[in-house]
Amino acid sequence: LDDAIVSDGSDVLLFLSRARTYLVRAKAGEKFHTHKGFIDFDQVVGKRHGDVIHSSMGVPFALFKPTPYDYVRKALRATQIIYPKDVALIVAYSGIGPGSRVVEAGTGSGALTSALASSVQPNGRVYSYEVRKEFFARAAKNLARAGVDEYVVLRNADISQGISERGVDAVVLDLATPWLIVKEAHNALKGGGRLVAFSPTIEQVVKTVGAMDAGFVDVETIECFLRRMKVKAGSTRPEGVMRGHTGYISYGRKIFR
Ligand SMILES: C[S@@+](CC[C@H](N)C(=O)[O-])C[C@H]1O[C@@H](n2cnc3c(N)ncnc32)[C@H](O)[C@@H]1O
């Protein structure tokens, strides 16, 4: 398997710890400097993803193949990006899979787009709307680098002005005013298609779910708490500090009115 090996000129995720990872291009003859010594790419090229190499200071780094989400997480971000716990639930509740057609807004930095694209490949499509030109341009770069751009159609447009697609499997919203898009999302969805909206505040949820009263059933809003564990023999327990809030996820299925 070609992609089991780090080839010359390919990207690799250098893993030191959960907080210290580096997404770099492995080029024979070159070096990469870290605060734990430098990495000699001559030692990296030809190794397997999953191998462990040592920096010039003898510190171990594991080599991994970057995932699409790693690229967007590491890329220059234009906007707040969605956390993996929320990405996973949004993908699950959208009901999408290989071959699905999904409308998304706003693209932002493209983190959620990369996960949606990974889910619908190889023959599905994500039609992603972003109103701000500079975010649209940056997301295009991020998605190309992540290798998922062929599954995405980016539209530099205000989604409240209309959705071009019809009969789509899901509409996924992460923008400030999702309730303004509910009617247009209903028009774009196929019967039974899901609308999923991510919103940081309860005010947004109340307006969005109110708008979904007409034309959607099985409407639910959830919030997911994620608590990390410190696993150490004899003293395993939850970490003392956790992220208290990211956002609420509201979803429902389209019925014909
Ligand atoms: C929180 S960010 C989305 C982040 C994205 N989900 C990610 O994971 O990278 C919200 C984005 O929606 C865009 N936006 C807001 N209203 C919009 C509209 N009516 N049409 C299209 N994009 C919109 C904003 O410009 C912003 O980039």
Side-chain angles (χ1 to χ4, degrees):
L1 264 178
D2 276 359
D3 84 341
I5 302 287
V6 184
S7 59
D8 191 7
S10 72
D11 290 332
V12 63
L13 191 75
L14 300 171
F15 179 93
L16 173 61
S17 66
R18 210 171 60 80
R20 298 253 185 206
T21 58
Y22 306 90
L23 205 171
V24 294
R25 188 148 290 173
K27 276 204 182 135
E30 293 187 4
K31 292 182 173 57
F32 176 71
H33 293 267
T34 78
H35 69 300
K36 296 286 184 192
F38 66 80
I39 307 288
D40 180 350
F41 285 132
D42 285 340
Q43 268 190 38
V44 170
V45 171
K47 289 280 190 321
R48 294 167 301 184
H49 291 122
D51 271 335
V52 176
I53 53 130
H54 291 85
S55 71
S56 58
M57 285 165 62
V59 177
F61 283 77
L63 309 177
F64 295 122
K65 184 176 160 60
T67 63
Y69 193 84
D70 283 328
Y71 280 101
V72 182
R73 195 166 58 92
K74 291 285 176 189
L76 264 184
R77 291 187 204 167
T79 61
Q80 175 65 260
I81 70 167
I82 297 223
Y83 284 81
K85 71 177 178 74
D86 296 315
V87 168
L89 288 170
I90 290 168
V91 169
Y93 286 116
S94 69
I96 61 170
S100 294
R101 294 171 62 243
V102 186
V103 166
E104 182 205 21
T107 319
S109 305
L112 181 56
T113 319
S114 73
L116 296 170
S118 299
S119 305
V120 305
Q121 68 178 341
N123 50 348
R125 281 292 174 279
V126 181
Y127 303 90
S128 189
Y129 290 68
E130 172 55 55
V131 71
R132 295 200 32 196
K133 190 155 195 157
E134 68 275 27
F135 295 173
F136 162 83
R138 183 166 296 169
K141 276 192 199 145
N142 288 347
L143 294 165
R145 180 129 203 261
V148 292
D149 52 332
E150 62 183 295
Y151 315 114
V152 180
V153 177
L154 288 180
R155 300 203 188 284
N156 183 200
D158 179 346
I159 196 169
S160 69
Q161 298 304 305
I163 297 176
S164 314
E165 294 70 33
R166 287 292 177 268
V168 301
D169 298 283
V171 175
V172 174
L173 301 174
D174 175 17
L175 42 68
T177 54
W179 61 92
L180 298 180
I181 322 297
V182 169
K183 197 163 175 244
E184 190 50 30
H186 189 275
N187 292 338
L189 283 164
K190 69 179 190 186
R194 317 274 180 105
L195 173 59
V196 184
F198 177 85
S199 302
T201 76
I202 278 290
E203 286 84 354
Q204 292 165 307
V205 168
V206 172
K207 288 182 190 162
T208 306
V209 169
M212 288 172 76
D213 261 354
F216 292 89
V217 297
D218 198 17
V219 178
E220 197 170 36
T221 297
I222 58 166
E223 180 178 14
C224 172
F225 297 109
L226 183 141
R227 192 161 65 155
R228 292 185 199 286
M229 299 289 151
K230 280 191 202 164
V231 180
K232 194 173 163 202
S235 67
T236 299
R237 60 187 184 280
E239 281 187 4
V241 178
M242 67 187 273
R243 182 170 298 281
H245 178 66
T246 56
Y248 307 98
I249 300 171
S250 303
Y251 49 86
R253 300 171 197 252
K254 167 176 166 165
I255 50 168
F256 291 105
R257 292 173 288 185

